[in-house]
Amino acid sequence: MKRHALTRVLCTVLCAAMLLGVSAPSLSVSAAPASATAQQANSGPGILRTMVDFFFRNFGFLGFIFDPYQFTIINQKPVFQWGLGFNEVYDVFPWVVNVWADTIRCKFNYEGRDWLIQLWKGGYGLFLATGGEIGIYTKSERFIIEHYNAPVSQNDWLNLEYTIYNKGEKLFTRPSPYLTGDEGPYWWAPGYKVLSICTDFLSSPRKNVIMDATIEFKDKKMAQLFIDQLKEKGFKPLAKGATMSIKTPETYLLMPNGKSVRLVWQNLNEGWF
């Protein structure tokens, strides 16, 4: 345990040194969003936000883009990771880039295929960030190896929404209310709040980090299969008359349309660390 803790601290220090050592070649201001609400909420991006935004706009970074109004790194659709698929081995190595995150894996069979809906939350040291992710993956039920592919057809992408909190403070919302093109279905929706270090990344689970997420499934059957998985993981239905919030962790709610499921996740972890 002490060895793991020391490794995490050293990785964080190294990432901080790399970040502080990066200088931007220009301070040109990026265009502000058309939304007046965004401007009122943030009073412009500021110099540091403009520098980071300039870097991502001009040099790119593994298919990620920057939301200067939430100071958050998110992905484009699709990015190169689309072709890599996913399996649980991938969750063994994130410490190499100083990622210490909790995860929940929901697996079920739907329409003759195996599906994996995976959620992550925690500390992402590469960006000195606190964040989360939701991923949608499928594989043939005849393929016995537990390796899933990102959905080839966009018809299999799902509408994903989530908000990440750290110690009760709202960090960001995905999709971004400030960036056009971030709306609509996803196969993978990561978000990382820059310079918002996870306050309990040495712990497992990271109870200071909470995800409030809603996933819209194809139909009621698919939503119920996901709910069955949540129950197995330890989630409980929201009590009748209660209001769902970060104060109701490990609860879920089937929305009135019958195919959207909202959940609040704080205390569970199926990950390696």
Side-chain angles (χ1 to χ4, degrees), residues 24-240:
S26 172
L27 297 180
S28 59
V29 180
S30 61
S35 169
T37 302
Q39 296 179 5
Q40 293 170 0
N42 296 278
S43 299
I47 293 178
L48 180 58
R49 295 168 191 261
T50 300
M51 291 171 64
V52 179
D53 188 38
F54 177 91
F55 176 83
F56 275 86
R57 285 176 181 273
N58 289 276
F59 300 102
F61 186 79
L62 301 179
F64 289 95
I65 58 177
F66 182 64
D67 176 358
Y69 290 86
Q70 293 192 106
F71 210 26
T72 304
I73 294 170
I74 62 177
N75 67 319
Q76 296 175 307
K77 299 181 291 184
V79 290
F80 82 92
Q81 292 94 333
W82 191 39
L84 301 179
F86 188 82
N87 61 68
E88 293 184 16
V89 176
Y90 291 7
D91 280 334
V92 178
F93 298 103
W95 60 269
V96 174
V97 289
N98 200 29
V99 173
W100 307 96
D102 306 326
T103 192
I104 294 291
R105 305 182 185 98
C106 294
K107 301 177 182 179
F108 53 85
N109 185 276
Y110 172 77
E111 293 186 340
R113 285 179 295 165
D114 293 331
W115 289 70
L116 167 65
I117 312 293
Q118 185 153 344
L119 301 87
W120 296 263
K121 67 175 180 69
Y124 292 80
L126 182 63
F127 301 125
L128 292 181
T130 300
E133 309 169 50
I134 301 178
I136 312 295
Y137 306 95
T138 66
K139 72 177 183 68
S140 168
E141 59 187 355
R142 297 188 298 273
F143 193 55
I144 61 173
I145 299 175
E146 284 284 301
H147 181 82
Y148 293 79
N149 297 310
V152 174
S153 170
Q154 292 191 22
N155 292 329
D156 291 331
W157 295 8
L158 302 176
N159 285 314
L160 311 171
E161 300 178 12
Y162 66 87
T163 300
I164 294 293
Y165 298 83
N166 190 20
K167 297 185 71 175
E169 175 188 358
K170 178 181 175 180
L171 296 185
F172 66 92
T173 297
R174 183 83 198 269
S176 168
Y178 310 124
L179 297 184
T180 57
D182 192 41
E183 311 88 348
Y186 299 80
W187 68 272
W188 177 48
Y192 316 113
K193 178 80 170 186
V194 181
L195 299 183
S196 176
I197 297 175
C198 178
T199 51
D200 62 345
F201 77 105
L202 294 177
S203 304
S204 177
R206 287 83 191 166
K207 295 183 178 181
N208 287 346
V209 183
I210 300 175
M211 173 184 282
D212 183 343
T214 300
I215 303 175
E216 181 182 359
F217 293 92
K218 293 187 173 187
D219 53 35
K220 296 180 180 180
K221 178 182 178 182
M222 192 178 190
Q224 188 58 53
L225 290 169
F226 180 70
I227 286 175
D228 291 342
Q229 280 289 295
L230 291 180
K231 290 178 179 178
E232 287 190 17
K233 308 300 178 184
F235 286 80
K236 300 183 182 300
L238 184 69
K240 188 175 181 178

